[in-house]
Amino acid sequence: MSPWESLAVFAAGVGAGTINTIVGSGTLITFPVLLATGLPPVTANVSNTLGLVPGAVSGAIGYRKELQGQRARIMRLGAVSLVGGLAGAVLLVTLPSDSFDTIVPILIAVALVLVVLQPRLAAALRRRQEATGTEPGHPDGGSALLTGMLLSSAYGGYFGAAQGVLYVGLMGLLLHEELQRINAVKNVLAALVNGIAAVFFLFVAEFDWTAVLLIAVGSTLGGQIGAKVGRRLSPTVLRAVIVVVGVIAIVQLLLR
Protein backbone atom coordinates (compact mmCIF):
# COMPACT_ATOMS: atom_id res chain seq x y z
CA MET A 1 0.00 0.00 0.00
CA SER A 2 1.05 3.57 -0.63
CA PRO A 3 1.15 5.97 2.34
CA TRP A 4 -2.12 7.56 1.21
CA GLU A 5 -3.82 4.18 0.86
CA SER A 6 -2.60 3.21 4.33
CA LEU A 7 -4.01 6.43 5.76
CA ALA A 8 -7.33 5.78 4.03
CA VAL A 9 -7.53 2.25 5.44
CA PHE A 10 -6.69 3.50 8.94
CA ALA A 11 -9.33 6.25 8.72
CA ALA A 12 -11.86 3.70 7.47
CA GLY A 13 -10.98 1.54 10.47
CA VAL A 14 -11.71 4.43 12.84
CA GLY A 15 -15.02 5.08 11.13
CA ALA A 16 -15.97 1.42 11.12
CA GLY A 17 -15.11 0.95 14.79
CA THR A 18 -17.19 4.00 15.69
CA ILE A 19 -20.28 3.09 13.68
CA ASN A 20 -20.09 -0.59 14.65
CA THR A 21 -20.25 0.30 18.33
CA ILE A 22 -23.18 2.66 17.88
CA VAL A 23 -25.16 0.67 15.32
CA GLY A 24 -23.23 -1.75 13.13
CA SER A 25 -22.46 -1.75 9.38
CA GLY A 26 -18.85 -0.59 9.73
CA THR A 27 -17.92 -3.14 7.08
CA LEU A 28 -19.63 -0.90 4.53
CA ILE A 29 -16.90 1.66 5.25
CA THR A 30 -13.82 -0.56 5.33
CA PHE A 31 -14.69 -3.11 2.65
CA PRO A 32 -14.93 -0.66 -0.28
CA VAL A 33 -11.70 1.05 0.82
CA LEU A 34 -9.85 -2.27 0.87
CA LEU A 35 -11.17 -3.08 -2.59
CA ALA A 36 -9.96 0.32 -3.79
CA THR A 37 -6.42 -0.55 -2.66
CA GLY A 38 -6.44 -3.50 -5.05
CA LEU A 39 -7.20 -6.40 -2.69
CA PRO A 40 -9.34 -9.22 -4.12
CA PRO A 41 -12.89 -9.32 -2.63
CA VAL A 42 -12.44 -12.44 -0.49
CA THR A 43 -9.02 -11.30 0.77
CA ALA A 44 -10.49 -7.89 1.56
CA ASN A 45 -13.42 -9.47 3.41
CA VAL A 46 -11.18 -11.74 5.46
CA SER A 47 -8.70 -8.94 6.25
CA ASN A 48 -11.60 -6.72 7.27
CA THR A 49 -13.02 -9.35 9.63
CA LEU A 50 -9.64 -9.88 11.31
CA GLY A 51 -9.04 -6.15 11.67
CA LEU A 52 -12.43 -5.38 13.19
CA VAL A 53 -12.08 -7.85 16.06
CA PRO A 54 -10.13 -5.42 18.34
CA GLY A 55 -12.66 -2.69 17.53
CA ALA A 56 -15.57 -4.91 18.55
CA VAL A 57 -13.83 -5.73 21.82
CA SER A 58 -13.08 -2.05 22.39
CA GLY A 59 -16.73 -1.12 21.84
CA ALA A 60 -17.91 -3.85 24.21
CA ILE A 61 -15.55 -2.55 26.91
CA GLY A 62 -16.88 0.96 26.35
CA TYR A 63 -20.39 -0.34 27.08
CA ARG A 64 -19.38 -2.35 30.16
CA LYS A 65 -21.72 -0.38 32.45
CA GLU A 66 -24.75 -1.41 30.38
CA LEU A 67 -23.58 -5.03 30.46
CA GLN A 68 -24.01 -5.36 34.21
CA GLY A 69 -26.51 -8.06 35.16
CA GLN A 70 -26.56 -9.61 31.67
CA ARG A 71 -23.93 -12.34 32.05
CA ALA A 72 -26.36 -15.26 31.76
CA ARG A 73 -28.00 -13.72 28.70
CA ILE A 74 -24.63 -13.12 27.03
CA MET A 75 -23.48 -16.66 27.76
CA ARG A 76 -26.62 -18.11 26.19
CA LEU A 77 -26.75 -15.86 23.14
CA GLY A 78 -22.97 -15.91 22.84
CA ALA A 79 -22.85 -19.69 22.48
CA VAL A 80 -25.38 -19.53 19.64
CA SER A 81 -23.54 -16.62 18.02
CA LEU A 82 -20.24 -18.53 18.05
CA VAL A 83 -21.83 -21.48 16.24
CA GLY A 84 -23.47 -19.20 13.71
CA GLY A 85 -20.33 -17.12 13.17
CA LEU A 86 -18.23 -20.21 12.49
CA ALA A 87 -20.85 -21.55 10.08
CA GLY A 88 -20.83 -18.24 8.19
CA ALA A 89 -17.04 -18.23 7.96
CA VAL A 90 -17.10 -21.75 6.50
CA LEU A 91 -19.72 -20.67 3.96
CA LEU A 92 -17.54 -17.74 2.88
CA VAL A 93 -14.73 -20.01 1.72
CA THR A 94 -16.97 -22.72 0.23
CA LEU A 95 -19.99 -21.08 -1.41
CA PRO A 96 -20.61 -18.30 -3.96
CA SER A 97 -22.14 -15.12 -2.62
CA ASP A 98 -25.08 -14.85 -5.06
CA SER A 99 -27.65 -16.33 -2.68
CA PHE A 100 -26.60 -14.09 0.20
CA ASP A 101 -26.53 -11.02 -2.04
CA THR A 102 -30.21 -11.62 -2.80
CA ILE A 103 -31.54 -12.17 0.71
CA VAL A 104 -29.38 -9.84 2.81
CA PRO A 105 -31.07 -6.54 1.79
CA ILE A 106 -34.42 -8.13 2.64
CA LEU A 107 -33.16 -9.21 6.06
CA ILE A 108 -31.86 -5.73 6.81
CA ALA A 109 -35.15 -4.14 5.71
CA VAL A 110 -37.10 -6.47 8.02
CA ALA A 111 -34.72 -5.64 10.87
CA LEU A 112 -35.25 -1.91 10.30
CA VAL A 113 -39.01 -2.37 10.49
CA LEU A 114 -38.55 -4.19 13.79
CA VAL A 115 -36.31 -1.42 15.13
CA VAL A 116 -38.82 1.31 14.20
CA LEU A 117 -41.89 -0.55 15.46
CA GLN A 118 -40.15 -2.20 18.43
CA PRO A 119 -41.79 -0.11 21.19
CA ARG A 120 -45.30 -0.77 19.87
CA LEU A 121 -44.66 -4.41 18.97
CA ALA A 122 -43.05 -5.15 22.33
CA ALA A 123 -45.91 -3.44 24.19
CA ALA A 124 -48.48 -5.39 22.18
CA LEU A 125 -46.63 -8.62 22.84
CA ARG A 126 -46.51 -7.93 26.59
CA ARG A 127 -50.25 -7.13 26.66
CA ARG A 128 -51.01 -10.39 24.90
CA GLN A 129 -48.79 -12.36 27.28
CA GLU A 130 -50.38 -10.71 30.29
CA ALA A 131 -53.86 -11.45 28.93
CA THR A 132 -52.99 -15.13 28.54
CA GLY A 133 -51.40 -15.31 31.98
CA THR A 134 -47.83 -15.86 30.75
CA GLU A 135 -44.76 -13.90 31.80
CA PRO A 136 -44.57 -10.41 30.22
CA GLY A 137 -41.06 -11.02 28.99
CA HIS A 138 -38.69 -13.91 28.43
CA PRO A 139 -35.27 -13.41 30.05
CA ASP A 140 -33.41 -14.75 27.02
CA GLY A 141 -35.96 -14.32 24.24
CA GLY A 142 -36.80 -18.00 23.96
CA SER A 143 -36.24 -20.26 20.97
CA ALA A 144 -37.34 -17.57 18.51
CA LEU A 145 -34.47 -15.28 19.52
CA LEU A 146 -31.95 -18.12 19.61
CA THR A 147 -32.89 -19.15 16.08
CA GLY A 148 -32.79 -15.58 14.81
CA MET A 149 -29.42 -14.93 16.42
CA LEU A 150 -28.02 -18.15 14.97
CA LEU A 151 -28.97 -17.12 11.43
CA SER A 152 -27.87 -13.50 11.93
CA SER A 153 -24.52 -14.67 13.27
CA ALA A 154 -24.04 -16.96 10.29
CA TYR A 155 -24.53 -13.93 8.08
CA GLY A 156 -22.10 -11.99 10.30
CA GLY A 157 -19.42 -14.64 9.88
CA TYR A 158 -19.99 -14.54 6.13
CA PHE A 159 -19.94 -10.78 5.52
CA GLY A 160 -21.25 -8.79 8.48
CA ALA A 161 -22.55 -5.54 6.99
CA ALA A 162 -25.54 -4.40 9.11
CA GLN A 163 -25.18 -7.43 11.36
CA GLY A 164 -25.71 -5.11 14.32
CA VAL A 165 -28.99 -3.87 12.83
CA LEU A 166 -30.25 -7.45 12.67
CA TYR A 167 -29.21 -8.09 16.27
CA VAL A 168 -30.86 -4.95 17.63
CA GLY A 169 -34.03 -5.61 15.65
CA LEU A 170 -34.37 -9.15 17.00
CA MET A 171 -33.42 -8.45 20.61
CA GLY A 172 -35.46 -5.25 20.70
CA LEU A 173 -38.59 -7.19 19.83
CA LEU A 174 -38.05 -10.34 21.87
CA LEU A 175 -36.35 -9.01 25.00
CA HIS A 176 -38.00 -6.82 27.61
CA GLU A 177 -34.95 -4.59 27.91
CA GLU A 178 -33.72 -1.01 27.37
CA LEU A 179 -32.28 -0.23 23.96
CA GLN A 180 -28.87 0.85 25.28
CA ARG A 181 -28.48 -2.43 27.20
CA ILE A 182 -29.47 -4.32 24.05
CA ASN A 183 -26.86 -2.35 22.13
CA ALA A 184 -24.25 -3.35 24.71
CA VAL A 185 -25.08 -7.04 24.24
CA LYS A 186 -24.95 -6.53 20.48
CA ASN A 187 -21.35 -5.31 20.77
CA VAL A 188 -20.29 -8.38 22.74
CA LEU A 189 -21.95 -10.77 20.31
CA ALA A 190 -20.40 -8.98 17.32
CA ALA A 191 -16.99 -9.36 18.96
CA LEU A 192 -17.58 -13.09 19.43
CA VAL A 193 -18.72 -13.62 15.84
CA ASN A 194 -15.83 -11.62 14.38
CA GLY A 195 -13.45 -13.42 16.70
CA ILE A 196 -14.48 -16.96 15.82
CA ALA A 197 -14.53 -16.12 12.11
CA ALA A 198 -11.08 -14.54 12.41
CA VAL A 199 -9.60 -17.63 14.07
CA PHE A 200 -11.02 -19.79 11.28
CA PHE A 201 -9.70 -17.47 8.56
CA LEU A 202 -6.21 -17.50 10.04
CA PHE A 203 -5.89 -21.15 9.05
CA VAL A 204 -7.75 -21.38 5.76
CA ALA A 205 -7.88 -18.00 3.99
CA GLU A 206 -5.54 -15.41 2.54
CA PHE A 207 -5.35 -11.98 4.15
CA ASP A 208 -3.23 -8.83 4.06
CA TRP A 209 -1.42 -8.19 7.35
CA THR A 210 -0.94 -4.50 6.61
CA ALA A 211 -4.66 -4.00 6.10
CA VAL A 212 -5.44 -6.07 9.20
CA LEU A 213 -3.13 -4.04 11.45
CA LEU A 214 -4.32 -0.66 10.13
CA ILE A 215 -7.97 -1.54 10.60
CA ALA A 216 -7.27 -3.10 14.00
CA VAL A 217 -5.64 0.06 15.36
CA GLY A 218 -8.23 2.33 13.77
CA SER A 219 -11.24 0.29 14.88
CA THR A 220 -9.94 0.06 18.45
CA LEU A 221 -9.84 3.84 18.61
CA GLY A 222 -13.22 4.04 16.90
CA GLY A 223 -14.74 1.60 19.38
CA GLN A 224 -14.00 3.96 22.25
CA ILE A 225 -15.34 6.95 20.31
CA GLY A 226 -18.49 5.04 19.41
CA ALA A 227 -19.11 4.01 23.02
CA LYS A 228 -18.86 7.60 24.25
CA VAL A 229 -21.19 8.87 21.54
CA GLY A 230 -23.65 5.98 21.48
CA ARG A 231 -24.24 5.85 25.23
CA ARG A 232 -25.38 9.48 25.19
CA LEU A 233 -28.04 8.99 22.51
CA SER A 234 -31.67 8.76 23.53
CA PRO A 235 -33.59 5.66 22.39
CA THR A 236 -35.39 7.71 19.74
CA VAL A 237 -32.20 9.18 18.32
CA LEU A 238 -30.47 5.81 18.46
CA ARG A 239 -33.32 4.22 16.50
CA ALA A 240 -33.08 7.03 13.94
CA VAL A 241 -29.34 6.44 13.53
CA ILE A 242 -29.94 2.70 13.13
CA VAL A 243 -32.55 3.32 10.42
CA VAL A 244 -30.33 5.75 8.48
CA VAL A 245 -27.35 3.40 8.58
CA GLY A 246 -29.54 0.42 7.67
CA VAL A 247 -31.00 2.18 4.64
CA ILE A 248 -27.51 3.13 3.47
CA ALA A 249 -26.47 -0.50 3.92
CA ILE A 250 -29.37 -1.72 1.79
CA VAL A 251 -28.58 0.77 -0.98
CA GLN A 252 -24.88 -0.14 -1.03
CA LEU A 253 -25.60 -3.86 -1.06
CA LEU A 254 -28.09 -3.51 -3.91
CA LEU A 255 -25.55 -1.52 -5.94
CA ARG A 256 -22.68 -3.98 -5.42
Side-chain angles (χ1 to χ4, degrees), residues 58-119:
S58 176
I61 293 173
Y63 264 88
R64 59 189 178 278
K65 180 180 178 181
E66 286 76 12
L67 291 172
Q68 294 178 2
Q70 300 199 78
R71 176 176 296 182
R73 175 179 294 162
I74 292 172
M75 294 292 289
R76 187 176 182 87
L77 296 179
V80 172
S81 297
L82 285 172
V83 174
L86 180 59
V90 173
L91 290 176
L92 177 64
V93 297
T94 57
L95 296 178
S97 63
D98 293 348
S99 56
F100 278 82
D101 291 341
T102 301
I103 195 172
V104 164
I106 299 174
L107 292 176
I108 298 173
V110 171
L112 290 180
V113 172
L114 294 178
V115 170
V116 172
L117 299 180
Q118 183 266 330

Side-chain angles (χ1 to χ4, degrees), residues 21 29-30 35 47 89 99 102 105 126 160 167 194 198 213 221 223 237 242:
T21 303
I29 300 174
T30 48
L35 292 179
S47 301
S99 56
T102 301
R126 287 195 296 272
Y167 280 169
N194 279 356
L213 293 174
L221 175 61
V237 174
I242 293 171

Side-chain angles (χ1 to χ4, degrees), residues 1-10 30 33-39 43-44 47-48 207-215:
M1 291 186 190
S2 69
W4 287 112
E5 288 175 333
S6 298
L7 181 61
V9 172
F10 172 76
T30 48
V33 173
L34 291 177
L35 292 179
T37 66
L39 292 180
T43 303
S47 301
N48 178 65
F207 50 89
D208 186 295
W209 270 118
T210 301
V212 171
L213 293 174
L214 288 170
I215 293 177

Side-chain angles (χ1 to χ4, degrees), residues 12 44 66 71 102 130 141 157 174-175 186 202 223 225-226 244 256:
E66 286 76 12
R71 176 176 296 182
T102 301
E130 290 170 355
L174 298 173
L175 293 177
K186 176 265 294 179
L202 283 173
I225 296 173
V244 170
R256 284 178 62 197

